[in-house]
């Protein structure tokens, strides 16, 4: 492989090593361990296999067939026997690779979907030794001596370039999956080698230049991934990642406009877009890390370990990042550093608790319950503006557009917790128009995002035929007063929850998320 000029090559990926001392080595490209003896034995085995293969093509039993053949004959043998077979072998290498072009090459650990499908190239890693053998054959000095003119030499170079690149790519995928400081270091070594490789005569088109730009941008991005893995966060880290995201998105646009290799370029554009999205998730976590008090004092990996148990199982990386952004906002709200749409009127709580208390009927049936506790908290709800048609007249009457508001418990995100108001309470309308800072009161931690709210509200409206031609727009998160009432009787205890004077259903999950929020806000308090 054309990585570096050195005598010592890794026996697993054929990469030239920066160090040639005796003893044990760890390949900087594939992370396999080996000794100088292992490398020498692999080099000799490769040379013997190539010599045997070459004698079979030439039909000579001499130790060095090229020495007994004149220049013109060498050129004829290359064109008729050696090059066609090498070209066939190179073509076969790419068979069965699958749709790897549109798969992102690297994603930071925070951006990987749990249980996601492996990269297509990871399924090809078992054929690495066959690739290494083919790369060794293409670069063997005896084979190259049959390429007697510049055209033949260029043909060999063009065959070897995609094999070397494929070996690098497999190394990148495996090292990226490993992650950590060692994994990202190996990823960077491979990307930098690919970016610095001289272009062949057939790679002078625009697509080849765009490919190289991708490797350069990913190599720069990997430095930041490596720093995060090491727990090193410089003041300019977030700014650097965001600049690379902009560059990657610009590259994707230029790849889509590339006409020299339109099919491959468009597949590359999809991969680059996903690489930019993965970097964006990391940038969002870093931004939240800067906003949460005391979080900048610890590495991002520690922050993720702390918060991961709070994220609903199965959440996508984008969903988790969106939740974290909302939580950091609510943490600022709880510290009275940020205003939010909120209603804090709990004057109705005692009367409502009394209304749900069980009583004896006719002095014989049931039993009297006692209100044991009333726990007050603020329930986060998604607020949506709802527009719908209301039929006017019985026959051929025109529809009149109506507007109202719908609320959804952000701690549950189920259709049964959607409340539609008609008319809208004046206190709710005023709160939405005048954000304010909240007092010292518990807040439940949401488990849903605005995107989740859109899906749930759409489901709820399908079950409400009275709202014809319904359209809605999620306006954002608000906090409304909620209570959990614990009732006790001789037969046992029970608890009931509600919000906004019994007009919004509060889920059981909401009470649990109060405890979660209490811990989280205390963990990142100033």
């Amino acid at each position: 492989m054309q990585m570096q000029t050195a005598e010592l090559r890794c026996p697993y990926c054929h990469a030239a090593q920066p160090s040639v001392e005796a003893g044990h080595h760890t390949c900087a490209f594939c992370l396999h361990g080996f000794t100088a003896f292992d490398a020498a034995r692999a080099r000799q085995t490769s040379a013997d296999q190539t010599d045997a293969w070459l004698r079979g093509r030439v039909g000579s039993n001499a130790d060095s067939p090229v020495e007994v053949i004149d220049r013109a004959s060498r050129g004829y043998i290359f064109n008729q026997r050696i090059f066609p077979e090498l070209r066939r072998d190179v073509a076969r290498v790419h068979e069965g690779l699958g749709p790897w072009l549109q798969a992102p090459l690297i994603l930071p650990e925070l951006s990987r979907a749990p249980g996601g499908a492996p990269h297509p190239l990871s399924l090809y890693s078992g054929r690495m030794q066959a690739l290494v053998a083919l790369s060794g054959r293409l670069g063997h000095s005896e084979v190259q001596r049959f390429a007697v003119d510049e055209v033949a030499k260029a043909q060999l170079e063009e065959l070897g370039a995609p094999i070397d690149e494929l070996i690098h790519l497999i190394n990148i995928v495996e090292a990226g999956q490993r992650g950590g400081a060692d994994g990202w270091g190996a990823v960077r070594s491979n990307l930098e080698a690919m970016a610095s490789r001289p272009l062949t005569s057939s790679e002078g088109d625009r697509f080849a230049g765009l490919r190289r730009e991708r490797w350069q941008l990913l190599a720069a991005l990997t430095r930041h991934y490596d720093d995060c893995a090491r727990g090193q966060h410089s003041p300019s880290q977030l700014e650097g990642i965001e600049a690379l995201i902009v560059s990657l998105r610009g590259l994707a646009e230029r790849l889509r406009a590339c006409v020299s290799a339109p099919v491959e370029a468009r597949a590359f554009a999809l991969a680059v877009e996903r690489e930019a999205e993965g970097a964006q998730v990391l940038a969002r976590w870093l931004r939240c890390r800067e906003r949460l008090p005391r979080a900048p004092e610890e590495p991002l990996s520690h922050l993720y370990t702390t918060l991961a148990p709070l994220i609903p199982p199965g959440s996508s990386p984008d969903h988790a990042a969106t939740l974290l952004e909302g939580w950091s906002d609510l943490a600022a709200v709880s510290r009275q550093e940020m205003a939010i749409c909120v209603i804090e009127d709990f004057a109705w709580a005692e009367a409502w608790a009394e209304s749900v208390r069980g009583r004896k009927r006719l002095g014989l049936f049931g039993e009297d319950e006692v209100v044991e506790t009333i726990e007050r908290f603020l329930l986060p709800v998604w607020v949506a503006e709802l527009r719908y048609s209301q039929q006017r007249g019985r026959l051929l009457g025109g529809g009149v557009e109506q507007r109202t508001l719908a609320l959804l418990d952000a701690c549950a995100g189920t259709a049964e917790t959607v409340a539609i108001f008609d008319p809208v309470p004046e206190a709710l309308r005023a709160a939405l128009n005048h954000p304010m800072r909240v007092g010292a009161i518990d807040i439940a931690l949401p488990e849903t995002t605005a995107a989740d709210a859109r899906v749930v509200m759409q489901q709820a409206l399908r079950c409400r035929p009275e709202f014809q031609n319904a359209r809605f727009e999620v306006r954002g998160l608000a906090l409304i007063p909620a209570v959990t009432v614990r009732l006790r009787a001789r037969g046992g205890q029970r608890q009931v929850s509600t919000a906004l004077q019994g007009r919004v259903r509060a889920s059981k999950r909401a009470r649990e998320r109060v405890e979660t929020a209490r811990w989280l806000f205390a963990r990142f308090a100033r």
Side-chain angles (χ1 to χ4, degrees):
M1 296 174 65
Q2 298 175 354
M3 297 186 214
Q4 303 180 44
T5 302
E7 295 182 4
L8 187 68
R9 287 187 175 269
C10 172
Y12 297 95
C13 71
H14 201 230
Q17 302 300 299
S19 174
V20 295
E21 293 88 0
H24 189 272
H25 299 264
T26 298
C27 178
F29 297 86
C30 71
L31 300 178
H32 278 91
F34 65 95
T35 64
F37 176 79
D38 297 330
R41 183 174 56 185
R43 182 173 62 249
Q44 187 59 49
T45 299
S46 175
D48 293 343
Q49 291 174 345
T50 301
D51 288 340
W53 176 85
L54 189 58
R55 283 194 295 270
R57 308 286 117 18
V58 175
S60 171
N61 292 325
D63 291 337
S64 181
V66 70
E67 298 295 345
V68 296
I69 303 175
D70 60 83
R71 187 175 186 276
S73 298
R74 293 202 306 272
Y76 176 83
I77 292 172
F78 178 84
N79 290 322
Q80 298 299 317
R81 298 181 185 177
I82 296 176
F83 179 71
E85 189 166 333
L86 290 174
R87 182 174 55 188
R88 179 204 64 194
D89 292 344
V90 170
R92 286 178 175 174
V93 161
H94 292 85
E95 295 176 359
L97 277 179
W100 70 273
L101 286 176
Q102 60 262 42
L105 195 56
I106 61 169
L107 291 174
E109 288 89 338
L110 291 173
S111 303
R112 298 174 190 172
H119 194 285
L121 287 178
S122 66
L123 305 177
Y124 203 76
S125 58
R127 300 175 64 180
M128 176 67 89
Q129 290 308 301
L131 291 175
V132 169
L134 182 55
S135 177
R137 190 184 311 162
L138 289 164
H140 195 281
S141 59
E142 294 293 302
V143 173
Q144 291 183 347
R145 290 177 68 181
F146 278 85
V148 296
D149 54 33
E150 295 302 320
V151 173
K153 292 177 182 177
Q155 288 175 327
L156 272 182
E157 187 178 4
E158 289 168 8
L159 289 180
I163 299 301
D164 287 353
E165 184 174 272
L166 184 55
I167 293 174
H168 280 304
L169 291 170
I170 293 173
N171 281 344
I172 289 169
V173 169
E174 292 192 331
Q177 290 173 345
R178 176 172 174 170
D182 291 339
W184 290 120
V187 169
R188 188 173 69 253
S189 295
N190 283 279
L191 286 167
E192 290 174 347
M194 292 166 65
S196 62
R197 178 181 62 83
L199 297 179
T200 64
S201 58
S202 65
E203 291 182 307
D205 59 12
R206 178 172 173 77
F207 179 54
L210 294 176
R211 286 169 68 101
R212 169 167 291 190
E213 183 178 349
R214 180 189 178 191
W215 310 144
Q216 292 169 342
L217 290 174
L218 292 184
L221 195 58
T222 301
R223 294 190 186 95
H224 292 293
Y225 295 170
D226 189 6
D227 288 342
C228 287
R230 297 175 185 274
Q232 300 172 353
H233 302 287
S234 67
S236 62
Q237 184 179 62
L238 179 57
E239 181 182 354
I241 293 174
E242 290 177 333
L244 289 170
I245 291 170
V246 172
S247 298
L248 284 170
R249 288 173 174 164
L251 174 61
E253 290 295 328
R254 283 179 279 123
L255 281 165
R256 275 192 291 269
C258 181
V259 296
S260 60
V263 176
E264 289 182 322
R266 288 173 185 171
F268 258 51
L270 293 175
V272 171
E273 285 175 347
R274 291 185 61 189
E275 288 159 351
E277 291 169 0
Q280 184 65 57
V281 170
L282 176 61
R284 292 166 68 185
W285 274 82
L286 288 170
R287 194 177 299 111
C288 291
R289 174 180 173 271
E290 291 182 351
R291 294 181 58 193
L292 288 170
R294 295 193 292 179
E297 301 172 5
E298 57 188 77
L300 180 62
S301 58
H302 291 181
L303 177 65
Y304 178 76
T305 302
T306 299
L307 298 180
L310 310 184
I311 299 172
S315 295
S316 68
D318 182 72
H319 187 267
T322 304
L323 283 175
L324 179 62
E325 289 170 338
W327 297 349
S328 62
D329 285 342
L330 282 181
V333 168
S334 72
R335 299 190 302 271
Q336 300 182 343
E337 297 174 356
M338 180 177 175
I340 192 171
C341 300
V342 59
I343 302 174
E344 291 186 284
D345 179 16
F346 286 91
W348 53 272
E350 287 79 4
W352 185 86
E354 186 66 21
S355 70
V356 298
R357 180 177 65 84
R359 295 175 175 85
K360 282 186 178 181
R361 298 188 302 276
L362 302 177
L364 298 173
F365 304 100
E367 58 180 334
D368 286 329
E369 288 183 317
V370 176
V371 176
E372 198 167 54
T373 60
I374 301 176
E375 297 185 25
R376 298 166 175 82
F377 63 96
L378 293 176
L379 176 70
V381 291
W382 292 107
V383 181
E385 182 177 3
L386 175 62
R387 300 183 181 188
Y388 63 96
S389 297
Q390 187 176 58
Q391 195 70 22
R392 183 171 59 188
R394 294 187 177 181
L395 293 174
L396 303 178
V400 179
E401 184 179 77
Q402 303 291 325
R403 294 188 180 186
T404 188
L405 293 178
L407 302 186
L408 169 66
D409 178 357
C411 296
T414 55
E416 57 267 22
T417 63
V418 174
I420 300 176
F421 293 91
D422 191 14
V424 178
E426 192 58 38
L428 177 58
R429 193 183 300 277
L432 296 177
N433 292 329
H434 301 92
M436 57 184 292
R437 286 178 167 80
V438 303
I441 187 170
D442 285 332
I443 302 173
L445 197 67
E447 278 191 325
T448 59
T449 66
D452 299 327
R454 294 186 190 96
V455 174
V456 174
M457 288 189 178
Q458 189 68 47
Q459 294 171 348
L461 288 171
R462 292 195 191 105
C463 303
R464 303 287 295 272
E466 66 269 28
F467 297 103
Q468 301 177 14
N469 303 318
R471 305 179 306 282
F472 64 89
E473 179 183 356
V474 177
R475 293 177 55 177
L477 199 69
L479 300 177
I480 62 174
V483 296
T484 295
V485 178
R486 288 183 171 84
L487 302 164
R488 177 174 52 82
R490 287 184 300 175
Q493 295 181 345
R494 69 185 180 102
Q495 66 179 33
V496 290
S497 299
T498 192
L500 203 61
Q501 303 180 41
R503 304 186 68 177
V504 177
R505 182 175 176 179
S507 64
K508 294 181 180 179
R509 185 67 173 157
R511 183 63 240 175
E512 299 172 7
R513 298 297 284 181
V514 169
E515 299 297 330
T516 304
R518 190 179 295 158
W519 175 86
L520 178 66
F521 298 160
R523 170 69 172 75
F524 295 105
R526 292 195 185 280

